[in-house]
Amino acid sequence: MSDVLIYHNPACGTSRNTLALLREKGIEPTVVEYLKEGWTRDQLQALLKKMDASAHDILRVNGTKADELGLTDPAASDDALIAAMIVDPILVNRPIVVTPKGAALCRPAELVLGLL
């Protein structure tokens, strides 16, 4: 099993580019299609801690109901965002890559290089 993990959406160009960049570097990551697998509260909280980020930092707005749900309001709590992300995984921006060096939202794809 690889020590590199990518939370991946195959329909997303940036996610595909990040995966391709990892493979170009000779890394075959563990691929988690989070739209199929979903999220748990513990999983998201651990990921955010590893990223030193808030749920707002990984919230996907484009193509989602984030605005409609009030999640883009700066006053929306991390707990509220995480609860919404569990119900609707598309609310998590992608791709997120985890390596022994850390974790990051890799937008643009080249940000993954800092994790290698």
Side-chain angles (χ1 to χ4, degrees):
M1 181 172 283
S2 174
D3 60 352
V4 176
L5 178 82
I6 181 171
Y7 291 95
H8 177 61
N9 176 353
C12 170
T14 302
S15 196
R16 289 191 309 270
N17 290 341
T18 303
L19 181 56
L21 188 53
L22 286 168
R23 288 176 171 158
E24 285 172 17
K25 296 294 181 184
I27 297 166
E28 185 55 46
T30 300
V31 177
V32 177
E33 290 189 33
Y34 68 93
L35 293 178
K36 291 180 182 176
E37 307 237 353
W39 298 102
T40 66
R41 177 172 300 282
D42 288 345
Q43 184 182 37
L44 284 170
Q45 288 174 328
L47 192 57
L48 290 168
K49 184 175 181 179
K50 187 162 185 136
M51 294 172 70
D52 192 25
S54 77
H56 285 274
D57 295 328
I58 64 167
L59 178 65
R60 180 164 181 80
V61 177
N62 294 340
T64 73
K65 295 182 180 182
D67 278 327
E68 182 181 322
L69 296 171
L71 301 175
T72 57
D73 183 336
S77 70
D78 268 19
D79 282 342
L81 270 70
I82 289 170
M85 290 168 173
I86 292 167
V87 171
D88 191 1
I90 195 71
L91 290 167
V92 177
N93 214 340
R94 73 280 180 160
I96 295 174
V97 177
V98 181
T99 75
K101 288 188 175 182
L105 173 62
C106 294
R107 297 187 73 79
E110 292 76 20
L111 289 177
V112 77
L113 298 174
L115 294 173
L116 304 180

